[in-house]
Amino acid sequence: MNIIELFKKLLETKTETPNDGGLLDFITTYLPGYTAIRIDVEDVKNLFIYKEFSQGDHLCFAGHVDVVPAGKGWDTDPYEAYEKDGYIYGRGAQDMKGGVASFVQAVKEAEHFNGTLSILLTSDEEGEALHGTVKALEYLKENELLPDYVVVAEPTCEKNFGDAIKVGRRGSINGYLTIKGKQGHAAYPEKAINPIHQLSQVLGEMAGVNIDDGDDFFSPSKFIITDIRSGMEVTNVTPNELKMMFNVRTTITTQTEVRSFVAKYLNGLDYDLKLTQGSYPFQTDTNTKVVENIDKAIESVTGIKPKHSTAGGTSDARFVAQFGID
């Protein structure tokens, strides 16, 4: 099976989270000579498969086989690898069965390596990610199998193939704000406390504002409002409370600083604020071996020297970084 045949095989297997469609069993069979360890947790499938070629560094390729549901609006069957104008279309082609096919085939064809090659795959990246990569990494740490370097083959290019690699990611803080007022009749505003009016006085100073200045690799952390709702959908009653949700893709800003930012503008109001953090920021030293070698490989194939970026959303690299792995 060549790389294109493998890619089509992955695309044509329906793997909506947390279903792996049997792909982890297939990949285990596809890589004879490698030691396979299944680390399944509840209904999530996880595979770690490795081979020690010689003494040296342990390089791991990580990713996921699961995809989000196909949805509507497709011109073709989303679970059929459809070729058109030199491209192959299908659910998960970019995110991230193209990456999985690439590193699985590379590992299969590797005859020599100064160290250990491995692959870590999960079926729970597009979901809550509670029982996927992080559980596998915990197992590897307990059994002294953690790699020295990890390449997560998510799509990172911006305009041209090879133009960017991610050397870090911002963290993500989610906010749930409730401003408490006092319901009343619109004809007697002096007898009510209208939380919509209260928020409107400061909304322009909060929405889209930079909380920090960022740095050479990270853009500033912005206060991004994602939802505001209040009232009874009538014109003559003012609401009892207002709920607002927001997100801060954070670099150096902490939850404490987000709370201080909110308190600065809502000082004196009756409100509750709940914060959760789905991921924490991380950055890999651009002079480390894995970054330097990826730079050289991309430039040798495409002629493009990739820029080092931290933009975009999160990936399972956030879990890898917590284990001190570049």
Side-chain angles (χ1 to χ4, degrees):
M1 187 176 283
N2 62 35
I3 181 66
I4 299 301
E5 292 169 336
L6 174 60
F7 183 36
K8 290 181 177 179
K9 163 73 175 177
L10 301 185
L11 284 180
E12 292 173 352
T13 304
K14 189 173 182 179
T15 57
E16 293 179 1
T17 312
N19 178 28
D20 78 323
L23 282 184
L24 298 191
D25 285 339
F26 165 78
I27 290 170
T28 299
T29 303
Y30 192 67
L31 297 175
Y34 281 73
T35 300
I37 302 173
R38 290 296 292 267
I39 315 165
D40 298 347
V41 182
E42 296 187 8
D43 56 353
V44 173
K45 308 297 190 296
N46 301 305
L47 170 66
F48 179 73
I49 187 166
Y50 70 100
K51 181 178 180 180
E52 183 177 347
F53 289 79
S54 65
Q55 294 295 313
D57 291 331
H58 177 177
L59 172 64
C60 177
F61 295 96
H64 61 94
V65 297
D66 60 314
V67 298
V68 297
K72 299 179 180 179
W74 288 76
D75 294 328
T76 59
D77 181 348
Y79 295 105
E80 176 185 349
Y82 179 74
E83 292 189 57
K84 182 180 178 181
D85 300 330
Y87 292 90
I88 299 176
Y89 296 86
R91 166 51 80 226
Q94 288 190 323
D95 187 8
M96 61 171 288
K97 290 184 176 179
V100 172
S102 297
F103 63 61
V104 168
Q105 192 69 17
V107 164
K108 182 178 180 65
E109 295 179 3
E111 296 180 357
H112 306 285
F113 186 72
N114 294 324
T116 297
L117 286 178
S118 67
I119 290 175
L120 173 58
L121 288 171
T122 183
S123 67
D124 184 37
E125 196 270 355
E126 297 290 3
E128 296 184 356
L130 297 176
H131 304 305
T133 297
V134 66
K135 293 297 185 183
L137 288 165
E138 290 172 358
Y139 174 91
L140 296 181
K141 182 178 181 179
E142 291 173 2
N143 290 273
E144 299 183 349
L145 287 170
L146 280 177
D148 299 299
Y149 304 98
V150 171
V151 177
V152 180
E154 295 273 11
T156 61
C157 305
E158 297 176 356
K159 294 182 179 180
N160 299 300
F161 187 74
D163 64 4
I165 62 173
K166 306 295 186 186
V167 295
R169 288 292 175 101
R170 297 172 294 175
S172 179
I173 297 175
N174 300 310
Y176 306 86
L177 173 70
T178 301
I179 300 177
K180 301 174 183 179
K182 181 180 179 182
Q183 183 175 294
H185 197 285
Y188 303 97
E190 70 279 1
K191 296 183 178 181
I193 300 174
N194 191 332
I196 297 177
H197 288 187
Q198 291 180 318
L199 179 64
S200 67
Q201 302 302 310
V202 295
L203 189 60
E205 299 177 72
M206 301 175 72
V209 170
N210 292 347
I211 301 180
D212 59 48
D213 296 325
D215 57 27
D216 291 342
F217 282 98
F218 290 102
S219 58
S221 304
K222 288 183 180 292
F223 191 87
I224 304 298
I225 297 172
T226 57
D227 189 272
I228 299 176
R229 57 189 65 200
S230 185
M232 300 168 59
E233 297 190 36
V234 297
T235 60
N236 60 349
V237 179
T238 60
N240 185 59
E241 65 179 22
L242 176 149
K243 293 185 177 182
M244 182 175 85
M245 293 189 288
F246 62 87
N247 178 263
V248 179
R249 292 300 166 112
T250 176
T251 56
I252 55 178
T253 290
T254 65
Q255 291 189 34
T256 298
E257 289 162 330
V258 171
R259 287 190 180 277
S260 297
F261 176 84
V262 172
K264 174 183 176 181
Y265 294 103
L266 301 188
N267 183 39
L269 302 187
D270 186 6
Y271 72 90
D272 289 328
L273 176 62
K274 176 186 175 183
L275 298 178
T276 62
Q277 188 146 1
S279 61
Y280 292 83
F282 69 90
Q283 181 184 344
T284 294
D285 184 351
T286 56
N287 295 315
T288 198
K289 185 182 293 187
V290 66
V291 177
E292 291 181 342
N293 278 278
I294 289 177
D295 280 347
K296 293 175 183 177
I298 292 173
E299 189 168 14
S300 70
V301 173
T302 67
I304 298 173
K305 184 174 178 60
K307 76 174 186 179
H308 299 153
S309 170
T310 61
T314 61
S315 73
D316 275 0
R318 68 189 189 273
F319 299 127
V320 177
Q322 291 175 11
F323 285 79
I325 303 168
D326 288 331

